[in-house]
Amino acid sequence: MHVKSVEKTGIVVTDYKGNLESGTIKSIINFPSQYVRARNVDVWLPVNYSENKKYAVLYMHDGQMLFDAETTWNKQEWKVDEIIGSLIDSSKIRNCIVVAIWNHSDIRHSDYYPQKPFDLLPQKFKDSIYKTTEKQFGTDFKGLQSDNYLKFIVEEVKPFIDSNFSVFTNAENTFISGSSMGGLISMYALCEYPQIFGGAACLSTHWIGFMPQDNSPIPETFFTYLTQKLPSPKTHKIYFDYGTNTLDEYYLPYQHRVDEVLKSKGFDLTNAQNMKFEGHDHSENSWNQRFKIPVQFLLKNE
């Protein structure tokens, strides 16, 4: 790391002391922001990390759930260090680092729910959401912060990473990934900032937006938005998947719409995937079973 740059920003970087199977983590406690509430950011570096090489960057949401089951609320983890470390070691993907952005549980939904699709909803429906979400999430949901959350990543976190780590800064080597609401915000990031991100991996994408409800207009707003905003398949990749159990079973009716939109925008199997995983549920233990698939899809050695 370039220590001068760190000193100049006033950001303190520490070494992570928890359980890792592969690589190391540089932790930033309460990364400051003018756009969103400060939050922790972990930067995972592979075993082969060297200032003499350049690395691709994978940005991930729900950062506290990615590496160490001993510290997560449900004792599950994505196993990102094991999976990506192994793929790098076996030369199945290019060298990369992972920037893990933590969530705040009380505002996770307003940070991750894409603003522009929400704006497409009828006002009466939006008003009903404001009334019911406090009961569902135990938080005061009065508006969305997703546009500001993306500004935080693009205008504050990424410049810090680009200045302090030995990384490629172009879109061809910058990716974003998450699950559930993290899948929605990853999709949104690719569409809003195609000049920044070259690909997105969206696992168990939460097409229903909130809790399951009959005849909801929410899913179609996402497909309308994607039809308008998906970037060129010539320069971008996007990955979707879904399980069949627990919350994931509610996504099944919408997967054909995903395929239709991707096809209409010119995507094919070389630059888009929409995969079904029978028996997988809505949990880190399911996501870690298949995470290597989108990682290889986005980061494979060309």
Side-chain angles (χ1 to χ4, degrees):
M1 291 188 62
H2 311 309
V3 178
K4 285 183 181 176
S5 216
V6 175
E7 288 174 350
K8 208 161 49 174
T9 61
I11 292 172
V12 178
V13 181
T14 61
D15 291 326
Y16 180 73
K17 304 296 185 185
N19 296 306
L20 287 179
E21 292 293 323
S22 177
T24 58
I25 287 178
K26 301 294 183 181
S27 294
I28 302 155
I29 307 302
N30 288 328
F31 195 111
S33 173
Q34 63 174 317
Y35 297 114
V36 293
R37 189 193 303 172
R39 63 201 63 206
N40 298 347
V41 175
D42 289 331
V43 184
W44 177 83
L45 307 175
V47 172
N48 74 355
Y49 182 78
S50 166
E51 293 289 344
N52 297 321
K53 301 177 183 178
K54 291 284 189 182
Y55 295 76
V57 185
L58 176 61
Y59 290 86
M60 296 189 69
H61 314 288
D62 298 315
Q64 62 264 57
M65 304 301 296
L66 303 183
F67 303 107
D68 187 354
E70 293 301 311
T71 62
T72 63
W73 67 270
N74 61 359
K75 302 305 177 186
Q76 297 182 31
E77 59 166 299
W78 282 66
K79 299 184 178 180
V80 166
D81 52 320
E82 292 102 308
I83 292 167
I84 294 187
S86 175
L87 290 171
I88 291 174
D89 290 344
S90 58
S91 299
K92 291 181 178 177
I93 62 171
R94 71 195 80 163
N95 289 327
C96 74
I97 72 171
V98 177
V99 179
I101 302 166
W102 287 38
N103 71 55
H104 289 293
S105 60
D106 62 318
I107 56 172
R108 180 175 179 269
H109 222 81
S110 57
D111 278 350
Y112 288 4
Y113 193 114
Q115 177 72 56
K116 290 183 174 64
F118 188 79
D119 290 342
L120 297 174
L121 290 166
Q123 189 59 48
K124 283 186 178 179
F125 189 83
K126 286 192 276 191
D127 292 341
S128 72
I129 285 174
Y130 293 139
K131 290 178 183 176
T132 58
T133 46
E134 185 170 358
K135 297 175 185 175
Q136 292 177 359
F137 301 109
T139 184
D140 189 19
F141 186 87
K142 293 299 183 188
L144 300 178
Q145 285 293 311
S146 52
D147 285 348
N148 279 335
Y149 175 68
L150 292 185
K151 285 181 182 177
F152 165 61
I153 296 173
V154 169
E155 297 182 20
E156 295 176 330
V157 178
K158 186 178 187 295
F160 177 83
I161 297 300
D162 292 350
S163 296
N164 292 286
F165 294 90
S166 186
V167 297
F168 294 108
T169 62
N170 57 354
E172 291 79 6
N173 287 286
T174 306
F175 306 95
I176 193 160
S177 178
S179 62
S180 192
M181 293 301 297
L184 287 178
I185 193 65
S186 297
M187 169 195 83
Y188 193 50
L190 183 70
C191 293
E192 291 295 298
Y193 292 96
Q195 76 281 16
I196 299 294
F197 301 106
C202 315
L203 287 72
S204 296
T205 310
H206 195 57
W207 299 116
I208 59 176
F210 295 92
M211 298 301 285
Q213 53 188 306
D214 294 333
N215 302 314
S216 170
I218 286 175
E220 198 55 40
T221 62
F222 292 125
F223 304 130
T224 298
Y225 171 81
L226 281 172
T227 300
Q228 296 169 350
K229 295 285 288 186
L230 262 175
S232 170
K234 295 178 181 178
T235 50
H236 294 79
K237 290 183 175 182
I238 191 162
Y239 170 97
F240 294 107
D241 72 18
Y242 53 103
T244 59
N245 294 346
T246 63
L247 195 57
D248 277 37
E249 71 179 271
Y250 294 100
Y251 308 149
L252 296 175
Y254 308 111
Q255 298 315 313
H256 72 284
R257 291 290 288 119
V258 178
D259 290 331
E260 288 170 0
V261 170
L262 291 171
K263 186 177 179 181
S264 73
K265 298 295 286 185
F267 284 86
D268 58 31
L269 291 177
T270 66
N271 42 39
Q273 292 188 0
N274 182 29
M275 303 185 71
K276 180 180 182 179
F277 291 89
E278 196 72 45
H280 283 213
D281 62 16
H282 199 81
S283 71
E284 285 76 17
N285 282 345
S286 282
W287 299 323
N288 69 34
Q289 289 179 50
R290 62 188 196 250
F291 182 55
K292 67 179 180 182
I293 297 172
V295 170
Q296 289 182 86
F297 176 65
L298 294 181
L299 285 152
K300 67 181 178 182
N301 277 318
E302 299 296 343

